Amino acid sequence: MGATRYVLGSAILGLFWSSLLKGVLTNSTSRCDYPPCSCDHYGRLTCDCKEEGEELILTTDGERRLSPHTSRISVSNCSSVMLANSSLISMTGLRSVDLQNVANLTLVRQSFELSPYSTRTRIYVRNSSIDVMPSFVFRGDVEAITFENVRIGQLSAFSFANLIHTENLRLENCRVETTEAQAFKKFEVGYLHVIGGTFGDQLPSRTMNDIEVSHKFMLDGVKMGVVRSNAFIVKSPRTVAIQNCIVDNLESEAFDVTAQGAVIIKNNTFGSISVGAFLGIRADRETRSPPSSASLTHDLIFKNNSVSNFEEGSLMFDRTSFRPELDNLIISLPCDCQMLPVWKNYVLNYTNVYSRFYARENLFVPPQSQPQEPINETPETFLCLDGGIDGTPISFVDYEGRHCSLGGSTLVFILIIVGAILALIICVCLIVWCCRRRRQNNRKKWISVPTNAPDVVSKKNGVIGREAATSGTPVDSRITMVVPDGRLYRETEFHVIVEKAEPLTTEL
């Protein structure tokens, strides 16, 4: 009887404690119960900090811990947010994390560590500021990572690492002030796109180290300072696109890319390019065509690019892997008739430099035995600046025709000088001839002396006088004295008295 009572009492006590524990767990608090966050029945956590000024901490500890049943996290308009380490590891059903408009986002090691049972999780960070991007911040099966309009003070080594089954990694309009070596370290991704934004004063060697891209690797509109050798080590992309970028200095073999398809380099502005900067871009060994099948090589399009400082071999490509297509290469220097063939030779002929670099990748085949696909040159392949450093681009062919040949402006200038000299000689001859002609005509001219002499003869007493000038009597030109011009004569007044005798009549 006593034993039965003891067993019955133990059962009742066990039921009491189990019901009490169940009630405590059911009514336990989480981050969903405190502002500025709230949750819905689908496990979506939404935090909007428009009216909250305190720091928002996302963690699995304390009363405001994150629920393991959370499926989506959305945080916006917060002045400060901290995502603690391993705070997402218990969320087996997590599908996305969206952080936007965060003035100060603090991440620590393994902030984005996911549960080994979660799959296809997407991470978005938009319009936010991160002072330090720590090492190993990601871990797990992340389908997509998007950083859009984010300021990153320091991108530490191994910031992007330990990624599994990642399909897209996209950095758009991000401003990275300092980048450490191996910031992107050894992972596989389908699409790796860096669009817009800046990467500080320099990209060190192995910034992207041993990244395997299955589809497309693209740098679009990125502004970079000095790009060190082997800054980009990328394997197996089917398409490589480097476009609309501004690069101050591109060091030798800055790109170490083994491509499985076409390479497009267009609309870029390069300040200085060292020897062999693009020679590290080559075909994947598994897809490299044999030397006898040149028709199977991939296309390498180098179009609408400008460069300010380069030398022989700066624009050197692996011609055993690609068919280079050059078009609209703008040399951002004033056109110079003496330098045009030198610049062209730097791009088209670099046999000695090519042999030195090529031997490292093809030690088993002598460089001189490798077939080199020639680069097709068109009138628009090479351009320089006409009219100084701020001039307009003009093709080498047009500039040579206008300024560098006898059929151009030089001959025109010579003809202008000769024509001016001939015109001057003709003018001098005409002046001399006119002077002589005038002198000869002046010698035959006569004038009256004196100039105020009377020109009529008075009928009264036969005296020459001016009173008869208005009488209408005819002029007697025989009394006008003329002398040659050019001599000095004293004026002399002649008084002519005409005497005439009349017969006397005498009356007898």
Side-chain angles (χ1 to χ4, degrees):
M1 183 69 180
T4 304
R5 184 180 298 177
Y6 176 77
V7 172
L8 182 60
S10 299
I12 295 173
L13 184 62
L15 291 174
F16 172 78
W17 282 111
S18 62
S19 61
L20 180 62
L21 181 61
K22 182 178 180 180
V24 171
L25 292 176
T26 303
N27 298 324
S28 61
T29 60
S30 67
R31 180 73 261 184
C32 301
D33 301 318
Y34 295 90
C37 300
S38 62
C39 298
D40 59 13
H41 298 291
Y42 300 98
R44 291 178 293 195
L45 172 66
T46 303
C47 302
D48 192 343
C49 307
K50 288 183 178 179
E51 299 179 357
E52 296 290 334
E54 64 180 10
E55 181 181 23
L56 177 64
I57 300 177
L58 302 178
T59 180
T60 55
D61 299 328
E63 294 181 352
R64 303 185 181 186
R65 58 183 175 271
L66 296 173
S67 171
H69 305 292
T70 303
S71 62
R72 300 179 187 275
I73 298 176
S74 177
V75 179
S76 60
N77 305 316
C78 295
S79 59
S80 179
V81 175
M82 178 180 178
L83 185 60
N85 64 322
S86 302
S87 56
L88 310 178
I89 195 171
S90 62
M91 303 177 186
T92 57
L94 184 63
R95 291 293 175 264
S96 69
V97 178
D98 191 353
L99 308 175
Q100 57 181 336
N101 299 327
V102 178
N104 183 18
L105 176 60
T106 302
L107 301 176
V108 297
R109 187 184 181 96
Q110 297 178 354
S111 285
F112 291 108
E113 182 181 9
L114 304 179
S115 169
Y117 302 103
S118 64
T119 58
R120 317 300 292 175
T121 303
R122 293 175 173 266
I123 298 175
Y124 303 94
V125 180
R126 300 184 177 96
N127 303 321
S128 302
S129 178
I130 303 174
D131 290 335
V132 178
M133 188 79 170
S135 302
F136 302 107
V137 68
F138 299 96
R139 185 182 181 88
D141 189 350
V142 183
E143 180 184 11
I145 299 175
T146 300
F147 278 56
E148 182 179 343
N149 195 24
V150 177
R151 185 197 70 86
I152 302 177
Q154 176 179 321
L155 191 61
S156 304
F158 309 105
S159 291
F160 292 88
N162 297 330
L163 298 176
I164 302 174
H165 302 151
T166 302
E167 184 65 21
N168 289 284
L169 175 55
R170 181 185 181 95
L171 304 180
E172 184 172 356
N173 295 326
C174 294
R175 302 175 302 280
V176 181
E177 297 174 0
T178 304
T179 305
E180 294 185 356
Q182 304 192 86
F184 301 80
K185 173 65 175 178
K186 198 175 177 60
F187 59 85
E188 298 179 5
V189 64
Y191 297 86
L192 176 54
H193 293 175
V194 182
I195 303 173
T198 61
F199 268 89
D201 295 333
Q202 72 169 356
L203 280 176
S205 297
R206 300 181 181 274
T207 296
M208 293 187 180
N209 186 22
D210 200 12
I211 310 300
E212 186 168 345
V213 181
S214 58
H215 290 90
K216 186 175 183 179
F217 169 62
M218 181 174 68
L219 300 176
D220 187 359
V222 184
K223 185 176 181 180
M224 296 171 278
V226 179
V227 181
R228 300 295 184 186
S229 299
N230 296 316
F232 298 94
I233 303 178
V234 181
K235 298 179 180 179
S236 305
R238 296 179 184 176
T239 303
V240 177
I242 304 171
Q243 57 192 26
N244 306 312
C245 295
I246 300 176
V247 183
D248 294 338
N249 189 349
L250 202 60
E251 290 192 351
S252 177
E253 294 186 293
F255 297 93
D256 185 358
V257 180
T258 55
Q260 295 186 7
V263 176
I264 302 172
I265 305 174
K266 66 178 183 179
N267 302 328
N268 300 289
T269 301
F270 299 106
S272 178
I273 302 180
S274 300
V275 178
F278 299 100
L279 190 59
I281 302 177
R282 57 197 180 278
D284 195 315
R285 292 185 182 275
E286 297 180 359
T287 61
R288 185 190 296 269
S289 58
S292 59
S293 58
S295 60
L296 299 179
T297 55
H298 304 299
D299 291 329
L300 190 150
I301 300 174
F302 196 88
K303 182 178 181 180
N304 293 335
N305 297 290
S306 65
V307 56
S308 299
N309 185 16
F310 70 111
E311 55 185 312
E312 182 181 1
S314 293
L315 301 178
M316 182 167 49
F317 308 101
D318 185 358
R319 298 190 188 182
T320 61
S321 300
F322 301 101
R323 294 184 301 271
E325 298 180 12
L326 266 69
D327 192 16
N328 288 347
L329 173 60
I330 302 176
I331 311 300
S332 299
L333 295 172
C335 297
D336 188 337
C337 293
Q338 296 181 353
M339 292 302 298
L340 295 185
V342 177
W343 292 336
K344 187 182 298 185
N345 187 69
Y346 283 170
V347 178
L348 299 180
N349 302 309
Y350 41 77
T351 305
N352 296 331
V353 181
Y354 184 84
S355 301
R356 176 163 52 89
F357 278 86
Y358 193 86
R360 287 185 291 181
E361 295 294 334
N362 303 273
L363 296 177
F364 54 91
V365 180
Q368 59 271 17
S369 65
Q370 292 283 354
Q372 294 187 5
E373 187 74 17
I375 298 177
N376 295 326
E377 180 185 357
T378 66
E380 298 298 327
T381 299
F382 299 97
L383 299 94
C384 57
L385 300 181
D386 186 14
I389 197 66
D390 297 326
T392 57
I394 183 175
S395 67
F396 282 16
V397 176
D398 291 341
Y399 187 84
E400 287 176 339
R402 297 179 185 178
H403 303 277
C404 304
S405 63
L406 292 178
S409 62
T410 303
L411 180 58
V412 174
F413 181 71
I414 294 175
L415 292 177
I416 291 175
I417 294 178
V418 173
I421 294 175
L422 291 177
L424 182 61
I425 294 174
I426 293 173
C427 290
V428 172
C429 293
L430 287 175
I431 293 173
V432 172
W433 181 81
C434 290
C435 291
R436 290 183 177 180
R437 182 76 174 176
R438 183 177 180 182
R439 187 173 181 180
Q440 292 175 358
N441 292 336
N442 289 339
R443 288 179 180 178
K444 298 178 180 180
K445 186 176 180 181
W446 300 80
I447 63 173
S448 299
V449 177
T451 57
N452 57 353
D455 52 0
V456 294
V457 178
S458 175
K459 293 182 179 181
K460 184 179 180 181
N461 298 324
V463 179
I464 299 176
R466 290 190 176 275
E467 63 275 6
T470 57
S471 61
T473 57
V475 177
D476 189 355
S477 61
R478 292 176 299 173
I479 64 173
T480 302
M481 181 179 179
V482 293
V483 295
D485 188 17
R487 297 182 182 181
L488 181 61
Y489 292 88
R490 177 177 297 176
E491 293 186 1
T492 304
E493 185 176 353
F494 294 90
H495 296 273
V496 180
I497 300 175
V498 180
E499 295 182 354
K500 61 181 179 177
E502 294 181 358
L504 297 175
T505 58
T506 303
E507 294 181 1
L508 299 177

